[in-house]
Amino acid sequence: MGEHPSPGPAVAACAEAERIEELEPEAEERLPAAPEDHWKVLFEKFDPGSTGYISTGKFRSLLESHSSKLDPHKKEVLLALADSHADGQICYQDFANLMSNKRSNSFRQAILQGNRRLSSKALLEEKGLSLSQRLIRHVAYETLPREIDRKWYYDSYTCCPPPWFMITVTLLEVALFLYNGVLLDQFVLQVTHPQYLKNSLVYHPQLRAQAWRYVTYIFMHAGVEHLGLNVVLQLLVGMPLEMVHGATRIGLIYVAGVVAGSLAVSVADMTAPVVGSSGGVYALVSAHLANIVMNWSGMKCQFKLLRMAVALICMSMEFGRAVWLRFHPSAYPPCPHPSFVAHLGGVAVGITLGVVVLRNYEQRLQDQSLWWIFVTMYTIFVLFAVFWNIFAYTLLDLKLPPPP
């Protein structure tokens, strides 16, 4: 008789609705910057059974409710992901990876194999972009063959950090060349100066035990004509690649090409010194050209056939210059002029390790079987070259030129 009547179902429903409305703005406000555990809380609101999956219908509702907080291209990628799941379910990990700017190989495959083609206009058709946005878009079309990757890069690139690796290496090469030019009072065909090989950065077969020379030779160039072409290729090809793939990956290709170049000379042209950054430059350029050829229909860079022809002509002229110089009468007999074999070592790295890196934008390289095959091949070559340098020179009783 003194009991209060319990609230009816309508009152309870209203109370629940008010509670949800209070929670939703908070979730929406945190969505853009929330860490992964917050994504899980949001995801579990649609997955009360904690199965790790939600239906694509709920997933699309979640996206639509927070569409104002998402980059338009990122929302487009998420919708493509939703439509690519034939079983009608979305995995939490795919959702969290994308919202945290991480993409797994399985995620990419889900999009590429999906039954929905992206319906919005291509990035190239967008108008009203600022100068910096047009530059980022240009870099995307220069280096990436897939529209989905180009849009992802366009949204996520912040220019922080800038392409510091290529810039730093180029500045060091120019500075040391100028310093050496002033020291020798010669800039054109600097390599023909009798005192040129006395520099401690040059790789010399008699001094091959000084391990730093297998890398530091890139800071010495045969002349301004040699330095000029290498610098131009480094900046025109290396910087855009670093902006897209990062300093770690592009630095890895470059340094691997440099080391492969000097080791190749120590094995195939045993009496010759080495100078110049052509090993690293040719690794980057050959990887980029090979990637364009392998993705010809997807690459949308302008005049790609003409530009490839120009690049190949420039590389051939530089290689021809190096071959001519190698067999030209030496300025410091009996030591010959620097070898051209480093160029070939760089090309070998570019069309193996380099291509794998450039074809797997923002993917885990350790998940690629080709990556491990080429890393194994590179490691075997390095070990072989090390043992060759330790034992072969003595066993072959090779007469080396005297140290400079």
Side-chain angles (χ1 to χ4, degrees), residues 29-88:
E29 184 177 348
R30 278 192 240 166
L31 183 60
E36 190 165 323
D37 56 342
H38 288 178
W39 296 127
K40 192 166 184 64
V41 171
L42 184 61
F43 194 88
E44 285 178 346
K45 288 178 62 178
F46 295 87
D47 179 29
S50 299
T51 62
Y53 294 87
I54 62 173
S55 68
T56 53
K58 290 181 179 179
F59 185 67
R60 294 179 70 88
S61 298
L62 174 62
L63 292 180
E64 293 299 334
S65 64
H66 298 290
S67 60
S68 62
K69 301 294 184 179
L70 291 171
D71 292 326
H73 298 143
K74 185 174 289 187
K75 177 187 173 185
E76 193 173 308
V77 173
L78 283 164
L79 289 172
L81 175 63
D83 287 342
S84 69
H85 284 66
D87 58 359

Side-chain angles (χ1 to χ4, degrees), residues 361-373:
Y361 168 62
E362 282 205 355
Q363 307 304 310
R364 289 163 50 91
L365 294 177
Q366 54 268 42
D367 292 341
Q368 313 297 320
S369 56
L370 267 182
W371 168 254
W372 290 111
I373 291 172

